[in-house]
Amino acid sequence: MENQFLLAGDIGGTKTILALFSLEKGPSQPLFEVSYQSNAYTGLDPIIKDFFSQASATAATACFGVAGPVRDGRAIITNLPWQPDTRMLQSSHNFSQATLINDLVATGYAIPHLSQSDLFTVNEGMHTTGGGIGIIAPGTGLGEAIFTWEDSRYIPVPSEGGHSDFAPTSEIEIELLTFLSKRYGHVSYDRICSGRGLP
């Protein structure tokens, strides 16, 4: 029987999660899943090799959400020295297709498939069909993305907006900017609102 498995990955500065899926069971029921400490590996390749070894299976296709920008099939991971490339991944692991997308774009694609039990309302808003979706994800860094409605579907707009300049609006925020500027030079929202910044 032809291999119909899909390898999906969430590649972040702190951890990398890989999971194997089948067309039969669908996207909400992984067949096998493993979490890795990203900085314990030199790149994505050795993690994929270890994963397939543990799963005793391979995949026909692969898609990875990466914490950083993706250009021409190559990703630059923001908080890791990795630069995965789709052509190299296809060649190394015999994928018929390998895709790299921004991790917040991957998150946005999942939103329409969430159930009500997956959601928690912080502030009640006004429901608008086809309204924009903004995603903010403080993790190792500060991820941001926007989805806009076009015709019958949402279109992703990846963003590295977390790296924009911190703009203080009060005396205490000006003090924070001054303090952090002396220590780091450039002060972004990522520097403040992330797993690195909040502590």
Side-chain angles (χ1 to χ4, degrees):
M1 182 177 162
E2 187 181 349
N3 183 345
Q4 294 293 312
F5 294 150
L6 165 71
L7 175 64
D10 178 13
I11 316 302
T14 301
K15 67 179 183 286
T16 292
I17 303 169
L18 297 185
L20 201 61
F21 294 88
S22 70
L23 296 175
E24 181 185 2
K25 296 233 177 200
S28 59
Q29 296 182 58
L31 305 174
F32 187 71
E33 183 175 327
V34 180
S35 181
Y36 297 88
Q37 286 299 118
S38 299
N39 63 7
Y41 293 83
T42 57
L44 183 54
D45 269 335
I47 292 178
I48 294 171
K49 287 175 185 166
D50 181 79
F51 178 84
F52 284 153
S53 172
Q54 289 192 58
S56 299
T58 59
T61 59
C63 182
F64 303 97
V66 298
V70 179
R71 293 187 189 93
D72 299 321
R74 183 173 213 168
I76 298 171
I77 311 297
T78 304
N79 293 301
L80 283 174
W82 301 1
Q83 293 191 12
D85 179 284
T86 54
R87 289 168 293 280
M88 291 175 65
L89 290 168
Q90 281 180 224
S91 175
S92 298
H93 304 286
N94 204 28
F95 298 131
S96 61
Q97 181 178 357
T99 306
L100 295 168
I101 61 175
N102 177 269
D103 58 344
L104 271 288
V105 169
T107 299
Y109 282 139
I111 288 174
H113 303 285
L114 298 175
S115 67
Q116 198 58 42
S117 63
D118 295 318
L119 305 175
F120 178 81
T121 301
V122 178
N123 291 303
E124 192 70 44
M126 185 188 309
H127 177 74
T128 304
T129 302
I133 297 173
I135 303 171
I136 300 173
T140 305
L142 179 64
E144 298 180 11
I146 300 165
F147 277 70
T148 60
W149 185 259
E150 185 175 305
D151 297 326
S152 61
R153 65 189 184 110
Y154 279 103
I155 306 296
V157 181
S159 164
E160 292 299 315
H163 300 291
S164 62
D165 295 345
F166 171 57
T169 59
S170 68
E171 287 296 326
I172 195 164
E173 289 180 2
I174 290 170
E175 288 181 30
L176 177 61
L177 175 62
T178 302
F179 172 78
L180 292 174
S181 292
K182 288 176 183 172
R183 182 173 287 192
Y184 299 110
H186 178 247
V187 181
S188 64
Y189 282 96
D190 180 277
R191 175 68 67 192
I192 297 168
C193 302
S194 69
R196 302 178 301 159
L198 290 170

